[in-house]
Amino acid sequence: MTPTTRYDDAQPPGGGTPGPKQIRQLDRVVIRFAGDSGDGMQLTGDRFTSETAQLGNDIS
């Protein structure tokens, strides 16, 4: 796994020219959503799953 260089359009703190940003490709990622009852966690998980699948990522 070799990091690649990407240029981000976001301005760095204090202004100036954006610099290179390191990106790593990962085989596995765990994302956890947590919240109290009534916070919309089920909807959050559903929307995240839908958007991630549309971008072509496998999710289970």
Side-chain angles (χ1 to χ4, degrees):
M1 172 170 59
T2 305
T4 58
T5 301
R6 174 186 103 144
Y7 291 91
D8 197 343
D9 293 334
Q11 289 277 333
T17 305
K21 188 178 223 180
Q22 295 296 317
I23 297 176
R24 292 184 297 159
Q25 184 172 352
L26 305 174
D27 294 327
R28 299 181 91 172
V29 175
V30 175
I31 299 173
R32 294 182 179 159
F33 297 104
D36 290 328
S37 179
D39 281 350
M41 287 295 103
Q42 187 171 357
L43 179 60
T44 301
D46 182 54
R47 293 232 174 125
F48 177 79
T49 301
S50 298
E51 294 295 323
T52 301
Q54 285 180 359
L55 292 171
N57 296 305
D58 293 330
I59 191 166
S60 61

